[in-house]
Amino acid sequence: MANAKVIQAKQDAVDVVTGKLKNSVSTVVADYRGLNVSQVTELRKQLREAGVDFQVLKNTLVRRATAAAELTELDAVLTGPTAVAFSETDAVVAAKILNDFAKKNEALKLKGGVVEGRVIDADQLKALAELPSREGLLSMLLSVLQAPMRNFALAVKAVADKEEQSA
């Protein structure tokens, strides 16, 4: 029979993962099988610098947490060795780092994830990772918003230059 302390420790671990699932803007599940220690260390370093929590977790523990967080659709990807990246601030950063790392290291495979409470598959995750960063999107928007004003200023300058040449 299992010791009460062991059961409580396991329940606490499930509660921690449930909290991370609920509080994360995005969660990415990956298969890390085939990566060596130095590759995993490099990946953890990149994720840590971006503020992403990366953990290797048992599938049964994650399944219990997904049940508590009402994200049971994620259970389909919880097979084999599983690493989970939790990002509480940026919905794209974890997917972007893991996808870029997977391009360089074929052993890392994206399985799926959760973005803002919605379960997505590996293909949707890769599409999300290919999007420009938030800053990139904002700069594109700013450029689009500035274009009419810039064109108007150029037209006014051209008229002023033409009148100056005529005089």
Side-chain angles (χ1 to χ4, degrees), residues 27-44:
T27 302
V28 179
V29 179
D31 182 347
Y32 65 93
R33 185 181 5 206
L35 293 178
N36 61 37
V37 173
S38 64
Q39 290 170 322
V40 172
T41 302
E42 176 60 28
L43 178 59
R44 284 181 188 271

Side-chain angles (χ1 to χ4, degrees), residues 122-143:
D123 293 332
Q124 293 170 320
L125 200 57
K126 289 176 184 174
L128 178 68
E130 298 297 327
L131 288 175
S133 67
R134 183 177 190 275
E135 290 77 20
L137 289 171
L138 288 174
S139 68
M140 287 180 199
L141 176 63
L142 184 61
S143 176

Side-chain angles (χ1 to χ4, degrees), residues 46 95-105 110 129-130:
Q46 290 177 20
K96 189 175 286 294
I97 291 171
L98 287 166
N99 189 50
D100 291 346
F101 196 86
K103 287 179 183 176
K104 297 174 193 161
N105 302 283
L110 299 181
E130 298 297 327

Side-chain angles (χ1 to χ4, degrees), residues 70-152:
E70 298 175 0
L71 295 168
T72 54
E73 301 91 23
L74 192 62
D75 291 353
V77 299
L78 297 175
T79 58
T82 301
V84 185
F86 301 98
S87 176
E88 293 185 4
T89 56
D90 190 342
V92 180
V93 71
K96 189 175 286 294
I97 291 171
L98 287 166
N99 189 50
D100 291 346
F101 196 86
K103 287 179 183 176
K104 297 174 193 161
N105 302 283
E106 293 178 9
L108 182 70
K109 307 255 186 294
L110 299 181
K111 294 179 175 183
V114 180
V115 177
E116 296 181 348
R118 194 171 140 249
V119 176
I120 60 174
D121 63 16
D123 293 332
Q124 293 170 320
L125 200 57
K126 289 176 184 174
L128 178 68
E130 298 297 327
L131 288 175
S133 67
R134 183 177 190 275
E135 290 77 20
L137 289 171
L138 288 174
S139 68
M140 287 180 199
L141 176 63
L142 184 61
S143 176
V144 168
L145 293 175
Q146 286 179 337
M149 187 60 73
R150 185 175 43 246
N151 292 342
F152 178 72

